[in-house]
Amino acid sequence: QVQLVESGGGWVQPGGSLRLSCAASGRTFSAYTMGWFRQAPGKEREFVAAVRSGGGIHYSDSVKGRFDIYRDSAKNTVYLQMDRLKPEDTAVYYCAADNSRLIVSRLWNGENYPYWGQGTQVTVSS
């Protein structure tokens, strides 16, 4: 069983930055695939970014070049650095994990991640 605890959400003006954190339990964090998803009101959950064990980072086209996902295995934590935020980035952001190295084609589907955090709200508005 993997437990995920997120932090770092909040309100920010357009163009601003936020960093989300997701702390994971478990002794083999370095082997996990870690992902971030988001869900805006009235919309379906969508993939944001993922980092696989042993390397391999992937982003959705909507955040590529603005968001950065990285992990600190010493702290069992994955981060999502979000820069140049836009109002359309407003959503509840969820951390997700699978305790294996997912193949690339499975990264984008949330159903392939059995473990989820509680979500953290990100609001981008002026």
Side-chain angles (χ1 to χ4, degrees), residues 12 16 42 64 81 108 123:
V12 65
K64 196 174 296 182
Q81 176 67 42
W108 286 268
T123 302

Side-chain angles (χ1 to χ4, degrees), residues 19-100:
R19 188 180 76 163
L20 305 182
S21 301
C22 174
S25 64
R27 298 181 179 181
T28 58
F29 173 78
S30 61
Y32 298 171
T33 296
M34 301 297 298
W36 287 97
F37 290 76
R38 66 187 182 187
Q39 187 166 20
K43 295 188 176 181
E44 293 186 353
R45 183 178 61 194
E46 65 171 347
F47 171 83
V48 175
V51 55
R52 301 193 295 162
S53 60
I57 293 175
H58 305 268
Y59 299 97
S60 69
D61 288 342
S62 61
V63 307
K64 196 174 296 182
R66 299 188 298 121
F67 290 11
D68 182 22
I69 184 172
Y70 59 99
R71 65 199 301 163
D72 183 339
S73 292
K75 297 182 178 179
N76 274 23
T77 299
V78 65
Y79 301 94
L80 185 68
Q81 176 67 42
M82 305 184 294
D83 297 322
R84 302 198 307 276
L85 282 159
K86 304 175 181 180
E88 50 264 44
D89 295 317
T90 295
V92 177
Y93 283 71
Y94 296 92
C95 176
D98 181 81
N99 55 4
S100 70

Side-chain angles (χ1 to χ4, degrees), residues 1-2 4 33 96-100 102 109-116:
Q1 186 75 7
V2 177
L4 305 174
T33 296
D98 181 81
N99 55 4
S100 70
L102 288 175
N109 188 340
E111 294 182 1
N112 295 320
Y113 296 78
Y115 307 107
W116 290 82

